[in-house]
Amino acid sequence: MAADEPGHQVHVINIDIQDNHEEATLGGFLICELATILTSCEDLDNDIDEALQEFEIKRVIICAVCVFDMSVSVANKVKHPLQFTVLAQCPTTKARVGKMVLPHSEVDTPVFMPVGTQGTMKGLLPQEIEATGSKLILGNTYHLGHRPGSSLIAAQGGLHRFMKWDHGLLTDSGGFQMVSLLKLAEITEEGVRFQSPYDGSASVLTPERSIEIQNEIGADIIMQLDDVVSSTCPDRDRVEEAMHRTVRWLDRCLEAHQRKADQSLFPIVQGGLHEGLRKQCVEELLKRDVSGYAIGGLSGGESKDQFWRMVQVSTDLLPKDKPRYLMGVGVAVDLVVCVALGCDMFDCVFPTRTARFGCALVDEGQLNLSKSKFQKDFRPIDDSCPCSTCSRHSRAFLHQIATHETSACHLLSVHNITFQMRLMRRMAEAIRTRSFPEFIQQFMLKVFPEKDYPTWISDSLRAVGVTLVN
């Protein structure tokens, strides 16, 4: 119909299509529907009003149905209780500073998480842990599930209330016990059959049971149950089997998860020391809707050269807008390297375990305070450390009680955890001020004053653009 043809009325129909995929698709469908109706009109002058009325009825019905469908879709998408924002990025390395907002805490990254296996750290009260600057600590699902039992913890309102901790909590899945308690465990597709190290009783930890326990414990971040294989396992077929099973178990964990509104579930990248398997694993994990990722299956006795390369592969593939948690890493030089490689979260028993042997952490490495050379050393462990141990006690005093008195473990644990927290904050500040490469150079120079850097450290840092001082 020509607009200037005599005897015909021009009808203008406006369908407003916003910058939205669903609305644009709906608008296109309606235009096609209108064209079909108008084409069927034999006499445009007589039929056009009737045709437009028919189109309007169809438009209202179609829009109502589409709006309902979109509303249901939005309702089914639960907002993740973990919100992560990258605040600064190193222009040279892959290091970044971020903030995680959790139901119980706001956590700055990079972050080190002290390990409280059964809801406590040996020799430390929750308020003392808080004084170190810790905002996120780790509990162990396997041990808490056995003693005191997740139902008892749930009866008091969850682990936060049970241990009187007002900040963030992360629970592991119990999967690591497949390696550490392998003589007591049998792994099948169903899950892991354990013989309890406490009373010898038999039990089964399935993906569903792991999540049930973690739901009852109530940590802010929970982990999927994964099939953990030792990083030194020579059987590639077994490693590949574990990787595929980890993905299958992830789906079972996600299905079993009953507290999506206040607990974030992290999947775990597996694949051993095989780059191809780790890539394949990440590809599968990215298909699932999660709020962060863990890198597992490392720090189990593999060479450091193998270790850093698998970390590098994993962080290259994982999303930039979600936190990356490298499991089981806590030695200072490892932390500095792995922050440079793009990791945000770490945990390890190292700071408290080494305290039990009389060792204090400093930039230069460790001070074994049980050695006689500290007998008349009246300096604090670290002049720059603000912890209560350094502000009150000398190396000489700590030497007298190291490895002999339980108070030594307490005092050194306070210092060692404070050291880890300060190291994280110092790295974050260097990233924010765009001086992280220089920070790395100076830190490594303190640890290796003779510049005899291990090859793996030089190679890993060179891979992200940092050359150490020669």
Side-chain angles (χ1 to χ4, degrees):
M1 177 178 65
D4 57 352
E5 186 175 343
H8 292 290
Q9 181 180 0
V10 177
H11 295 265
V12 178
I13 300 169
N14 179 32
I15 299 176
D16 184 18
I17 303 174
Q18 303 296 325
D19 185 17
N20 180 284
H21 174 73
E22 287 86 356
E23 292 183 1
T25 302
L26 174 61
F29 178 82
L30 291 172
I31 291 171
C32 292
E33 183 65 23
L34 176 60
T36 301
I37 294 172
L38 292 178
T39 302
S40 67
C41 296
E42 296 180 359
D43 184 342
L44 289 178
D45 282 337
N46 295 326
D47 294 348
I48 188 69
D49 289 333
E50 182 178 343
L52 290 177
Q53 289 176 5
E54 179 184 349
F55 169 73
E56 179 62 19
I57 292 171
K58 287 189 175 184
R59 185 186 71 81
V60 171
I61 294 173
I62 292 168
C63 286
V65 170
C66 289
V67 167
F68 175 78
D69 285 344
M70 285 187 283
S71 298
V72 171
S73 176
V74 170
N76 287 335
K77 291 183 179 178
V78 178
K79 181 181 178 182
H80 288 299
L82 183 157
Q83 299 298 310
F84 179 68
T85 305
V86 176
L87 302 176
Q89 174 77 52
C90 174
T92 303
T93 70
K94 294 193 288 183
R96 68 257 190 93
V97 172
K99 183 177 288 294
M100 284 194 303
V101 179
L102 304 173
H104 291 89
S105 186
E106 290 189 3
V107 179
D108 296 322
T109 65
V111 60
F112 177 81
M113 298 176 286
V115 177
T117 301
Q118 291 182 304
T120 183
M121 271 165 270
K122 289 180 174 62
L124 295 186
L125 299 172
Q127 57 266 35
E128 292 173 318
I129 303 170
E130 185 177 37
T132 68
S134 300
K135 298 293 185 183
L136 182 61
I137 63 176
L138 182 144
N140 181 269
T141 292
Y142 173 75
H143 291 291
L144 287 168
H146 274 271
R147 193 178 63 188
S150 58
S151 59
L152 187 147
I153 294 172
Q156 194 170 343
L159 187 58
H160 288 91
R161 291 186 180 180
F162 188 72
M163 64 179 290
K164 304 301 181 186
W165 176 252
D166 297 328
H167 303 288
L169 284 173
L170 179 149
T171 45
D172 66 6
S173 66
F176 178 71
Q177 277 64 43
M178 295 182 196
V179 174
S180 61
L181 302 175
L182 193 57
K183 292 180 180 179
L184 305 176
E186 177 190 357
I187 304 163
T188 67
E189 189 64 28
E190 177 191 13
V192 188
R193 292 188 176 276
F194 281 101
Q195 180 183 350
S196 171
Y198 300 114
D199 59 13
S201 62
S203 59
V204 180
L205 185 65
T206 64
E208 293 79 9
R209 179 57 181 153
S210 173
I211 297 303
E212 181 184 10
I213 294 171
Q214 293 185 81
N215 283 165
E216 290 184 324
I217 291 171
D220 301 83
I221 301 172
I222 65 177
M223 305 303 298
Q224 75 152 112
L225 182 66
D226 55 336
D227 186 351
V228 181
V229 179
S230 171
S231 59
T232 58
C233 176
D235 185 350
R236 188 186 189 281
D237 290 341
R238 173 68 185 101
V239 176
E240 183 171 8
E241 174 192 47
M243 183 273 289
H244 288 298
R245 181 174 287 146
T246 292
V247 175
R248 293 193 297 271
W249 283 3
L250 170 62
D251 289 334
R252 289 168 60 184
C253 288
L254 290 168
E255 180 67 24
H257 188 19
Q258 298 298 309
R259 295 182 60 176
K260 295 181 175 68
D262 63 347
Q263 289 184 298
S264 295
L265 192 155
F266 279 20
I268 301 174
V269 179
Q270 289 290 355
L273 304 178
H274 306 279
E275 181 176 336
L277 293 182
R278 286 197 173 262
K279 286 183 177 180
Q280 190 175 351
C281 187
V282 171
E283 288 172 2
E284 286 299 319
L285 300 187
L286 292 178
K287 298 175 184 178
R288 280 74 176 174
D289 183 23
V290 296
S291 55
Y293 299 87
I295 301 169
L298 298 173
S299 298
E302 74 279 3
S303 73
K304 286 293 189 179
D305 188 63
Q306 294 170 317
F307 164 77
W308 81 260
R309 293 181 190 278
M310 292 304 101
V311 174
Q312 172 86 321
V313 167
S314 301
T315 57
D316 277 347
L317 298 169
L318 291 171
K320 292 181 172 59
D321 62 344
K322 295 184 179 181
R324 306 160 182 159
Y325 165 28
L326 181 57
M327 307 176 79
V329 172
V331 176
V333 292
D334 295 359
L335 293 171
V336 173
V337 168
C338 292
V339 166
L341 294 177
C343 297
D344 306 297
M345 303 167 62
F346 308 88
D347 81 281
C348 194
V349 297
F350 173 71
T352 48
R353 179 171 291 172
T354 197
R356 296 200 290 275
F357 294 96
C359 293
L361 303 181
V362 292
D363 278 358
E364 293 76 11
Q366 296 184 49
L367 301 179
N368 186 344
L369 294 172
S370 64
K371 291 187 175 181
S372 59
K373 67 178 182 179
F374 295 108
Q375 187 175 7
K376 297 180 180 180
D377 190 339
F378 301 114
R379 295 174 295 168
I381 296 170
D382 183 345
D383 291 319
S384 64
C385 180
C387 79
S388 57
T389 301
C390 287
S391 64
R392 296 176 184 174
H393 303 291
S394 68
R395 297 178 182 185
F397 171 74
L398 294 168
H399 165 74
Q400 297 302 318
I401 62 174
T403 72
H404 302 301
E405 303 289 342
T406 55
S407 57
C409 172
H410 169 88
L411 294 170
L412 291 176
S413 292
V414 167
H415 168 78
N416 286 353
I417 294 174
T418 302
F419 172 84
Q420 301 287 85
M421 299 302 115
R422 292 180 63 227
L423 177 59
M424 296 294 110
R425 290 195 293 270
R426 289 155 59 198
M427 285 194 282
E429 180 62 20
I431 295 166
R432 279 191 291 264
T433 57
R434 304 170 71 87
S435 60
F436 188 53
E438 292 77 16
F439 173 89
I440 295 173
Q441 291 171 333
Q442 294 305 309
F443 186 86
M444 293 301 175
L445 202 54
K446 287 182 181 180
V447 182
F448 306 102
E450 302 299 321
K451 303 177 184 176
D452 51 343
Y453 312 112
T455 302
W456 78 270
I457 292 180
S458 299
D459 289 347
S460 61
L461 294 173
R462 194 178 299 114
V464 287
V466 177
T467 301
L468 297 177
V469 176
N470 292 316

